[in-house]
């Protein structure tokens, strides 16, 4: 990534190694006039998740499991074509890939520990419920003739 904004950090000191990133460029689809017809501004970034040595083994297993639906032969692919410039699309693709890997390698959330409802809250709820029932009962036309 010549001249790009440095290594894209996944988490902590782990970053995407430039040597393992595979870039492919093609013409973007959609409107854009003559410029779009002559430049290869769409970027496809591929990262071989199954064979990488850059990620700790635990992270790699976690990412392979979580991204299983997105992988093709252990390779994750990200496309970017929202900018007119190839350089900006390269930036966007690299940032998107780093964010995707950061999310996929995140540790699982702590299991939820169920809490008990305090007795005072339950008593107050029942008291207010009885009071509301009394109010509604007082509105009924029982003595009206």
């Amino acid at each position: 990534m010549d001249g790009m904004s440095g290594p894209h950090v996944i988490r902590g000191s782990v970053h995407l190694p430039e040597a393992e990133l595979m870039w492919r460029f093609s013409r973007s689809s959609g409107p854009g006039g003559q410029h779009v017809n002559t430049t290869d501004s769409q970027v496809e970034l591929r990262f071989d998740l199954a064979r990488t040595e850059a990620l700790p083994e635990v992270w790699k297993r976690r990412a392979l499991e979580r991204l299983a639906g997105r992988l093709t032969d252990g390779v994750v692919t990200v496309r970017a074509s929202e900018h007119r410039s190839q350089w900006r699309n390269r930036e966007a693709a690299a940032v998107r890939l780093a964010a995707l890997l950061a999310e996929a390698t995140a540790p699982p959330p702590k299991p939820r520990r169920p809490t008990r409802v305090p007795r005072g809250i339950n008593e107050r709820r029942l008291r207010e419920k009885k009071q509301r029932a009394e109010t509604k009962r007082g509105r009924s036309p029982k003595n009206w003739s």
Side-chain angles (χ1 to χ4, degrees):
M1 288 196 282
D2 309 327
M4 293 181 76
S5 64
H8 293 280
V9 177
I10 295 175
R11 194 174 332 105
S13 63
V14 179
H15 64 276
L16 289 174
E18 181 59 35
E20 293 185 20
L21 299 179
M22 297 166 277
W23 299 92
R24 201 173 103 195
F25 308 101
S26 59
R27 293 186 180 147
S28 290
S29 62
Q34 294 172 346
H35 174 76
V36 128
N37 298 332
T38 59
T39 57
D40 292 339
S41 58
Q42 177 175 298
V43 173
E44 183 179 287
L45 174 58
R46 300 176 58 159
F47 180 68
D48 195 342
L49 188 59
R51 292 187 189 90
T52 186
E53 297 297 322
L55 297 177
E57 197 57 40
V58 177
W59 287 19
K60 189 157 77 165
R61 263 198 322 272
R62 202 179 288 156
L64 284 168
E65 185 181 306
R66 290 182 182 169
L67 297 175
R70 264 192 90 135
L71 298 176
T72 308
D73 297 328
V75 177
V76 65
T77 305
V78 175
R79 268 199 192 98
S81 62
E82 58 267 13
H83 302 290
R84 283 181 54 146
S85 121
Q86 184 189 100
W87 183 81
R88 288 180 66 195
N89 282 331
R90 284 175 64 132
E91 277 287 302
V95 167
R96 206 174 292 156
L97 178 64
L100 181 72
L101 290 174
E103 189 178 323
T105 59
K110 288 182 182 175
R112 184 185 171 277
R113 210 179 97 224
T115 56
R116 287 181 57 226
V117 177
R119 189 171 47 180
I121 290 178
N122 209 19
E123 287 173 356
R124 185 178 70 201
R125 181 183 64 82
L126 292 173
R127 192 171 52 247
E128 288 173 358
K129 191 172 174 179
K130 279 183 184 171
Q131 190 176 357
R132 184 83 181 137
E134 274 303 312
T135 304
K136 289 189 169 198
R137 202 175 294 122
R139 292 180 189 156
S140 66
K142 58 181 173 246
N143 299 354
W144 297 8
S145 345

